């Protein structure tokens, strides 16, 4: 049994992805902005970032070029703007609602050139793998032209970043698809729920597991039907980030619309949630799924929590049986065009 939850040490933070004007500026001209949330453990916890790129920007770098690189952490991203050309992945453009799960140390390249601007949610399972790692040939130029800095993203909370690829703990799994062990990536679309799990309450759920195979990050994507409700919850035992990508809902007495997001620090009490007439699609990032699962089993004893925990446990078993939690000792080869958001 877990200790009783302590009151939240941080306030709930809210915003909307359509209004990035007050977010951190990551470029000298102020056109590349982000809002980031450092979640969970202060050294190794995940980070959720919403990134805003204006039309005409070619990459995250001042020179507009894109370089092959990798990160020493698992990542997950979703294209959030309404149009179809936001970031180019494997020769195609990612449009609204399309997402990509990528394993640590997997080499990739991004191109925003020719797009119409982008809004992206980027989740890194372990903040210590934030820094992009380039080839010896590109490193000096790529690092010199990168428009963002760790001091802006992390402030005074910079962790001890991974120094070697071998430092990475990677454990990828999904409840709606099997990953190819030869290439740790998975594409999907929030609007295509054909392989998602139908819950007893009528909602459809897809989840991805990242980072530490036992207690890493969980991303839960849910399509809620019209009028669906969730009862008030006990104080959450871990940080959560919530994003409403379409539809509407009431949280307590307040109405939320598409694009609204909330950061809920551990200890936050969550009121009842009721979806609007058109239902909703929501994305929830949970910092430490082991703590969330224990809390769900011990405190929120309802059918939905039990179903979600059961789905996650199945993936835990698969991760440990296949030993995918061990680090890959070398980056995968470059060559495909895949998204490079945030680095």
């Amino acid at each position: 049994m877990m200790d009783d939850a302590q009151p939240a040490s941080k306030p709930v933070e809210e915003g909307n992805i359509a209004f990035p004007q007050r977010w951190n500026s990551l470029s000298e001209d102020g056109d590349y902005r982000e809002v980031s949330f450092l979640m969970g453990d202060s050294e190794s916890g995940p980070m959720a970032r919403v990134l805003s790129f204006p039309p005409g920007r070619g990459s995250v770098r001042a020179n507009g070029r894109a370089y092959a690189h990798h990160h020493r952490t698992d990542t997950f991203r979703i294209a959030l703007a309404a149009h179809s050309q936001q970031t180019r992945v494997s020769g195609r453009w990612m449009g609204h609602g399309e997402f990509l799960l990528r394993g640590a140390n997997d080499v990739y390249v991004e191109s925003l050139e020719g797009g119409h601007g982008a809004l992206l949610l980027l989740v890194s399972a372990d903040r210590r793998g934030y820094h992009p790692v380039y080839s010896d040939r590109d490193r000096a130029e790529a690092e010199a032209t990168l428009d963002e800095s760790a001091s802006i993203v992390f402030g005074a909370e910079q962790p001890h970043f991974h120094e070697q690829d071998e430092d990475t703990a990677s454990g990828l799994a999904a409840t709606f698809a099997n990953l190819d062990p030869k290439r740790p990536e998975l594409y999907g679309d929030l609007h295509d729920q054909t392989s998602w799990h139908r819950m007893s309450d009528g909602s459809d759920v897809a989840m991805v597991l990242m980072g530490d195979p036992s207690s890493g990050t969980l991303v839960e994507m849910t399509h809620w039907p019209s009028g669906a409700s969730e009862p008030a919850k006990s104080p959450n035992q871990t940080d959560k980030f919530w994003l409403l990508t379409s539809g509407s809902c009431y949280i307590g007495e307040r109405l939320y619309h598409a694009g609204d997001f909330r950061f809920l620090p551990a200890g936050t009490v969550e009121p009842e949630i009721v979806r609007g007439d058109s239902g909703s699609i929501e994305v929830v990032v949970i910092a430490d799924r082991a703590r969330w699962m224990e809390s769900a089993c011990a405190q929120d004893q309802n059918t939905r929590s039990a179903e979600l925990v059961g789905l996650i446990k199945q993936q835990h078993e698969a991760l440990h049986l296949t030993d995918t939690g061990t680090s890959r000792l070398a980056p995968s080869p470059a060559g495909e065009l895949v998204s490079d958001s945030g680095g």
Side-chain angles (χ1 to χ4, degrees):
M1 179 69 67
M2 302 181 68
D3 296 335
D4 291 338
Q6 299 299 314
S9 58
K10 302 177 183 178
V12 173
E13 297 183 50
E14 299 187 337
N16 188 287
I17 61 174
F19 300 98
Q21 292 86 348
R22 294 187 178 181
W23 299 357
N24 292 330
S25 176
L26 297 176
S27 59
E28 292 184 1
D29 56 14
D31 67 350
Y32 168 28
R33 294 180 175 271
E34 66 106 45
V35 58
S36 60
F37 300 97
L38 304 179
M39 306 172 65
D41 185 83
S42 60
E43 180 66 17
S44 61
M47 52 193 298
R49 307 171 66 198
V50 185
L51 305 169
S52 174
F53 302 91
R57 189 175 180 93
S59 78
V60 298
R61 294 171 183 82
N63 65 358
R65 294 189 58 191
Y67 302 88
H69 72 282
H70 64 276
H71 292 272
R72 292 168 175 148
T73 179
D74 299 335
T75 59
F76 176 82
R77 65 206 72 199
I78 304 177
L80 300 173
H83 49 271
S84 60
Q85 293 188 348
Q86 296 184 56
T87 184
R88 190 165 58 212
V89 180
S90 298
R92 71 180 186 184
W93 288 99
M94 287 183 67
H96 179 262
E98 293 184 284
F99 59 82
L100 169 62
L101 174 66
R102 179 168 301 288
N105 298 338
D106 190 48
V107 177
Y108 65 103
V109 181
E110 170 203 40
S111 175
L112 299 172
E113 186 176 2
H116 303 300
L119 278 170
L120 303 173
L121 170 65
L122 173 62
V123 180
S124 299
D126 184 340
R127 67 189 69 172
R128 295 173 298 179
Y130 159 82
H131 281 302
V133 182
Y134 305 100
S135 67
D136 292 340
R137 180 191 62 188
D138 294 333
R139 182 174 297 114
E141 181 177 278
E143 291 182 349
T145 57
L146 186 62
D147 250 353
E148 65 183 71
S149 68
S151 62
I152 295 177
V153 175
F154 292 95
E157 300 183 54
Q158 291 196 43
H160 294 90
F161 296 107
H162 288 321
E163 297 182 356
Q164 303 292 332
D165 294 339
E166 293 83 352
D167 296 336
T168 300
S170 175
L172 296 183
T175 62
F176 57 96
N178 295 320
L179 281 81
D180 183 352
K182 296 181 180 179
R183 190 72 198 270
E185 65 179 12
L186 177 64
Y187 298 91
D189 191 329
L190 293 178
H191 305 104
D192 179 5
Q193 297 125 24
T194 53
S195 58
W196 293 22
H197 182 80
R198 174 60 57 90
M199 306 288 283
S200 61
D201 59 10
S203 63
D204 294 310
V205 171
M207 294 185 287
V208 297
L209 286 65
M210 309 162 58
D212 184 275
S214 297
S215 60
T217 307
L218 175 71
V219 180
E220 176 190 337
M221 298 165 282
T222 306
H223 175 239
W224 291 95
S226 172
S229 64
E230 290 180 276
K233 299 183 179 65
S234 303
N236 43 303
Q237 299 283 350
T238 185
D239 295 341
K240 296 172 65 174
F241 175 82
W242 174 89
L243 171 65
L244 181 64
T245 66
S246 65
S248 63
C249 68
Y250 275 95
I251 300 180
E253 299 297 320
R254 180 173 175 181
L255 178 62
Y256 289 80
H257 300 278
D260 286 337
F261 61 79
R262 309 178 78 215
F263 171 66
L264 308 171
T268 301
V269 177
E270 299 183 60
E272 181 186 27
I273 304 177
V274 180
R275 277 75 196 182
D277 292 340
S278 61
S280 67
I281 297 178
E282 301 169 26
V283 178
V284 179
V285 181
I286 297 174
D288 183 332
R289 62 177 179 267
R291 291 184 62 84
W292 178 85
M293 290 168 64
E294 190 170 349
S295 173
C297 291
Q299 299 178 24
D300 297 320
Q301 297 179 351
N302 58 61
T303 301
R304 180 180 177 80
S305 293
E307 289 180 82
L308 292 174
V309 169
L311 289 173
I312 297 168
K313 285 184 175 180
Q314 291 177 13
Q315 299 306 316
H316 277 189
E317 294 173 1
L319 283 172
H320 291 291
L321 285 172
T322 57
D323 197 29
T324 55
T326 56
S327 302
R328 290 188 301 282
L329 300 183
S332 63
E336 293 185 67
L337 279 179
V338 289
S339 178
D340 161 55
S341 317

